[in-house]
Amino acid sequence: MNPATDAVREFTPRARTALDNPAVRNNFRKAMDGLMDKRQAAFADWDLEALRELGAAVRLRALSRLPELLVQLEHNLQARGIQVHWAETGEQACQIVHDICQRRNARSVIKGKSMVSEEMDLNAFLARSGIEALESDLGEYIIQLAGEAPSHIIMPAIHKNTDEISELMHQQTGTRRSHDVDYLTASARSQLREKFMRADVGLSGVNFAIAATGTLCLVENEGNGRLTTTVPDCHIAVTGIEKVVENLEDIAPLLALLTRSATGQHITTYVNMISAPRQPDEKDGPEEVHLVLVDSGRSAIYQDRELLDTLRCIRCGACMNHCPVYTRIGGHAYGTTYPGPIGKILMPHLLGLESAHILPTASTLCGACEEVCPVKIPIPQLLQRLRTEAMDGDPQRPAHMDGHGSKRNWREMLLWHGWTLFNSRPWAYRLGTALAARFRRWTPARLGTWTRYRSAPRPAPQSLQQQLRQCRHKES
Amino acid sequence: MTAREAILQRLYQGREQQGGLDVPVSNFAVLERPHWNHADKRQRFEQAMRSVHTEIHSVSRDNWCTVLQQLATEKGLHNLWVSPDTCHGKELTQHWQLTQTPLLQHCPPLAEWKDELFNQVNAALTGCRGAIAETGSLILWPTTAEPRVISLVPPVHFVLLDGNQLYSTLHQAMHQQGWADTGMPTNALLISGPSKTADIEQTLAYGVHGPKELIVLVLE
């Protein structure tokens, strides 16, 4: 059992701790309220429904040709000198990155923001071989200093307020305690500048990989992504296999949706499109560029038409920002790389339902996530599907995913069999309701978690059928 | 079986099991802004760029060197990098009179001047291939004459933009400039403001890793 699956098992106590922490709740509430307003304002001039339809169509078109597009992407990247690697698991992907570093005698890796590298637990893997991996996105840098994981896929340090960040930077880097965000930002800039200059390898994620032109597209605001992919002599990009799109023009609607949905920006400061390593006549850019295509459970999701919609995701985080559960408990409570609604439908595939079965149940099914999803992923429907997958043990039905039926238990099954019997045989129903009415005073006052916040139901003195019979009797 | 073969095999199998996937038509019409005339585009471009702390100055072909020198003086720049191999670089070199702000013109491979570039170059001027009105974005395709780091490492970045090269949207720009047909360069960029972050409690701060100031000179 890996640490990630252990963390999921602790979901309930973590959620409770987060709910009891007013600072965490306040930090998230404030941030999510701001993000929801900004998103709404950013789409004010748009026919949002038509744009979301286009976004969904573009992603679905790419998924419909996924194997061909991956081969085309590989062909076009290789033709321009970018080396392509395939990894079935996160560990294989880590090994590939490690081997590239080792071949180049690299001791330091500077990282742009990459959730796939978080998913792979790359930093820890490299550290075991004595290779330092340093995060350069300001939010990632802050949580790396704190020894924490991201609590949001777009704003990794959103759970911390300025006070906490100031104290952390003071203790870890010697800056003075200050509420001045410009000072804290400038301090991080100067601390990381030298690291960018000296790093042996730059490692980044990919937002979209364009098959037709063989282009890796990255979006960011800080410039750390550009420095990471430009200054070191070797650039390694890691991405999930689902991030490929067919044509260059496909990124236009996806960019319009991604940045507005994520942070309410019309565009990020930088859109960085990389199609080759440094050419012989060029003065800068990495001499080696690698792309690592990571499967890690994605091809298993691809086996089922309904579940496949999970792969449409463009990782904007809007579902988190609008989720009433995420906003209250924050990202760390989930104990997974991807928290919030997208995490609830993605992580059970990456970790298996057996260890992650609780995630799809941590939802009120209010539907806010589906309403704001830029590529119209039916998240509530997928949550219900995963709940069914976890409980279903029907031997007649094929197992759809790892951990299928793992939450099924004999007590609950026995109860449902009894329920079926009770409701399908009139004599059993009459006898049961009569007994319930007769012994209603003995109904237990405590019914486990149900009565933690509610009073226990008590059967009526007469069942509906009995009352109906009496009425008819009086009438006749 | 290699990882590549195994992944592709699973994907082909998955799709076969589902009997293929129905795909709705991609209707890109929602991205178009046909009613914007040149003035609209110009106004939107400036509004979008200014909203993210970009300075914009209207200049003519006759006075842009003078305006740039005024700006360099106002900002107290110690030096300005400009390419000796571009038309605008040559023109600026001819007109440059500021002794307190010398022009830097050497551009060796990055490894040979990394320290100087990171620690001493104060500002740089580059051209661009046009701009996008809707999002306030400059289109840069770095070249041998104006490499990638020049628009990234110095704290102040000046960009010379031809006012006629204004596109309504990214979609229009990539089609009219034929990006997909001519082949993408090693690196293509959209730059929409100075470097920024909101990672500390959502408070916006400029100049985190890239340029702290972006100044656009629009040639009329």
Side-chain angles (χ1 to χ4, degrees):
Chain A
M1 176 132 326
N2 68 42
T5 54
D6 274 344
V8 181
R9 286 178 193 280
E10 297 297 313
F11 174 76
T12 308
R14 277 172 191 261
R16 196 170 300 284
T17 309
L19 285 170
D20 289 340
N21 185 336
V24 167
R25 290 186 64 167
N26 191 44
N27 293 350
F28 276 98
R29 179 82 266 169
K30 195 175 147 198
M32 299 305 120
D33 283 349
L35 288 167
M36 285 193 285
D37 292 344
K38 282 183 199 160
R39 173 190 172 274
Q40 203 167 16
F43 281 120
D45 290 343
W46 285 83
D47 179 350
L48 180 53
E49 207 40 41
L51 186 60
R52 289 171 72 221
E53 289 284 352
L54 175 57
V58 163
R59 288 297 300 135
L60 200 54
R61 172 157 47 81
L63 291 175
S64 76
R65 300 194 55 225
L66 185 56
E68 289 85 359
L69 293 185
L70 286 168
V71 171
Q72 187 187 9
L73 175 73
E74 177 186 52
H75 173 81
N76 286 334
L77 288 171
Q78 286 173 343
R80 298 285 300 276
I82 294 180
Q83 301 174 49
V84 180
H85 312 261
W86 301 68
E88 286 191 83
T89 61
E91 196 172 339
Q92 267 183 25
C94 285
Q95 192 63 51
I96 291 167
V97 174
H98 171 267
D99 292 349
I100 296 168
C101 291
Q102 205 162 50
R103 183 172 50 73
R104 296 187 60 87
N105 290 322
R107 303 318 302 164
S108 62
V109 175
I110 192 99
K111 287 180 70 195
K113 195 165 155 26
S114 157
M115 287 308 293
V116 174
S117 76
E118 295 281 348
E119 188 188 311
M120 290 153 53
D121 205 10
L122 177 67
N123 294 6
F125 191 100
L126 293 179
R128 286 196 285 276
S129 304
I131 300 169
E132 181 200 30
L134 185 72
E135 300 287 349
S136 65
D137 170 85
L138 182 59
E140 292 277 356
Y141 180 61
I142 290 165
I143 57 166
Q144 191 176 34
L145 287 177
E148 294 174 2
S151 60
H152 190 286
I153 62 169
I154 303 291
M155 281 149 300
I158 200 75
H159 56 289
K160 291 194 180 297
N161 58 32
T162 312
D163 268 346
E164 293 167 306
I165 292 167
S166 163
E167 185 59 34
L168 176 70
M169 286 181 68
H170 170 71
Q171 291 191 357
Q172 298 285 330
T173 68
T175 52
R176 63 180 158 80
R177 291 187 179 90
S178 169
H179 285 99
D180 182 355
V181 172
D182 286 329
Y183 164 72
L184 296 173
T185 304
S187 305
R189 177 187 172 102
S190 58
Q191 287 159 15
L192 284 166
R193 212 113 176 111
E194 189 72 15
K195 303 283 186 183
F196 279 119
M197 286 169 65
R198 308 287 165 232
D200 299 313
V201 169
L203 188 130
S204 76
V206 175
N207 291 95
F208 308 109
I210 302 140
T213 55
T215 302
L216 308 176
C217 179
L218 285 74
V219 303
E220 51 131 358
N221 282 311
E222 297 183 1
N224 68 310
R226 282 185 66 199
L227 285 166
T228 300
T229 57
T230 306
V231 178
D233 284 334
C234 173
H235 168 211
I236 306 172
V238 293
T239 188
I241 53 171
E242 83 284 17
K243 287 284 181 73
V244 66
V245 295
E246 190 172 11
N247 302 313
L248 187 63
E249 73 168 350
D250 290 338
I251 67 165
L254 295 179
L255 282 173
L257 284 161
L258 173 63
T259 61
R260 288 179 176 91
S261 300
T263 52
Q265 296 181 95
H266 295 289
I267 196 164
T268 47
T269 303
Y270 302 113
V271 176
N272 182 5
M273 289 168 270
I274 298 161
S275 303
R278 178 198 298 208
Q279 300 301 295
D281 59 335
E282 289 173 349
K283 303 281 177 60
D284 61 1
E287 61 198 25
E288 266 183 35
V289 179
H290 300 262
L291 175 69
V292 184
L293 292 164
V294 187
D295 180 343
S296 195
R298 289 161 174 84
S299 60
I301 305 176
Y302 195 74
Q303 306 300 308
D304 182 287
R305 176 62 196 89
E306 188 181 26
L307 298 172
L308 178 143
D309 282 335
T310 312
L311 299 175
R312 293 217 294 255
C313 178
I314 56 171
R315 304 283 190 271
C316 70
C319 58
M320 285 166 216
N321 305 347
H322 291 75
C323 175
V325 177
Y326 176 89
T327 304
R328 281 165 182 81
I329 65 174
H332 285 157
Y334 296 84
T336 51
T337 309
Y338 304 95
I342 183 61
K344 290 177 214 173
I345 59 169
L346 182 61
M347 293 312 297
H349 297 285
L350 305 192
L351 301 175
L353 260 176
E354 193 171 356
S355 47
H357 63 75
I358 197 163
L359 294 175
T361 67
S363 167
T364 62
L365 300 179
C366 74
C369 47
E370 184 180 11
E371 237 171 77
V372 297
C373 176
V375 287
K376 304 187 84 165
I377 300 173
I379 298 175
Q381 187 187 317
L382 290 169
L383 287 169
Q384 285 176 295
R385 167 68 190 277
L386 292 176
R387 290 178 188 187
T388 309
E389 286 283 334
M391 293 299 291
D392 191 15
D394 189 338
Q396 299 299 315
R397 252 184 293 209
H400 282 282
M401 57 182 292
D402 183 22
H404 171 89
S406 57
K407 207 187 164 193
R408 190 180 176 89
N409 68 68
W410 66 269
R411 257 190 232 161
E412 205 168 327
M413 288 309 121
L414 201 66
L415 201 69
W416 285 115
H417 278 305
W419 178 261
T420 311
L421 186 87
F422 181 70
N423 282 286
S424 58
R425 288 171 178 74
W427 63 266
Y429 187 80
R430 276 198 295 273
L431 179 67
T433 49
L435 286 173
R438 171 73 54 91
F439 299 109
R440 57 194 284 269
R441 290 184 194 287
W442 279 282
T443 311
R446 286 188 184 175
L447 295 170
T449 47
W450 178 262
T451 47
R452 192 176 295 157
Y453 304 107
R454 307 173 189 86
S455 53
R458 180 174 280 190
Q462 283 188 313
S463 71
L464 185 66
Q465 282 197 347
Q466 281 174 321
Q467 289 180 37
L468 210 65
R469 268 200 302 276
Q470 277 182 1
C471 278
R472 282 184 186 148
H473 186 68
K474 276 181 195 166
E475 279 169 15
S476 64
Chain B
M1 193 184 288
T2 64
R4 179 184 187 277
E5 287 161 357
I7 293 168
L8 287 173
Q9 189 184 51
R10 275 198 297 275
L11 294 178
Y12 283 121
Q13 264 173 7
R15 193 175 51 193
E16 202 173 314
Q17 272 173 24
Q18 298 167 40
L21 285 165
D22 290 333
V23 179
V25 177
S26 301
N27 182 1
F28 286 84
V30 63
L31 300 175
E32 288 167 17
R33 301 283 178 268
H35 51 285
W36 287 358
N37 60 28
H38 184 76
D40 292 335
K41 283 193 275 184
R42 181 64 188 270
Q43 190 199 346
R44 295 219 169 226
F45 171 73
E46 291 193 9
Q47 195 183 349
M49 287 234 94
R50 289 204 169 105
S51 72
V52 287
H53 282 211
T54 305
E55 263 183 57
I56 299 179
H57 300 274
S58 283
V59 294
S60 68
R61 301 215 174 259
D62 299 328
N63 78 354
W64 74 269
C65 294
T66 315
V67 173
L68 184 53
Q69 290 184 78
Q70 281 166 0
L71 289 168
T73 310
E74 280 168 25
K75 291 176 187 300
L77 299 179
H78 305 304
N79 54 47
L80 174 77
W81 184 93
V82 64
S83 169
D85 301 320
T86 57
C87 292
H88 52 264
K90 285 176 184 150
E91 194 180 337
L92 187 71
T93 313
Q94 279 174 8
H95 290 85
W96 198 256
Q97 292 168 339
L98 297 182
T99 47
Q100 72 275 27
T101 311
L103 288 185
L104 305 175
Q105 299 209 292
H106 57 299
C107 188
L110 178 63
E112 292 172 26
W113 74 312
K114 211 189 261 183
D115 280 303
E116 183 190 354
L117 174 70
F118 272 77
N119 298 317
Q120 288 166 39
V121 180
N122 209 198
L125 169 77
T126 70
C128 69
R129 289 171 55 97
I132 296 162
E134 183 193 44
T135 50
S137 309
L138 300 161
I139 303 164
L140 268 80
W141 285 20
T143 57
T144 310
E146 290 177 345
R148 295 157 74 166
V149 285
I150 287 304
S151 61
L152 177 62
V153 177
V156 181
H157 179 203
F158 292 95
V159 182
L160 201 57
L161 165 68
D162 180 346
N164 294 318
Q165 293 291 316
L166 209 50
Y167 301 89
S168 294
T169 63
L170 169 62
H171 192 243
Q172 188 192 40
M174 61 171 65
H175 274 282
Q176 292 193 359
Q177 292 193 347
W179 292 7
D181 308 327
T182 54
M184 292 295 279
T186 303
N187 186 218
L189 296 162
L190 303 180
I191 299 182
S192 312
S195 146
K196 66 179 184 293
T197 183
D199 273 347
I200 301 181
E201 214 181 335
Q202 289 215 287
T203 308
L204 202 53
Y206 285 91
V208 54
H209 293 302
K212 297 173 181 180
E213 288 183 63
L214 178 67
I215 301 123
V216 183
L217 306 179
V218 187
L219 278 169
E220 304 298 345

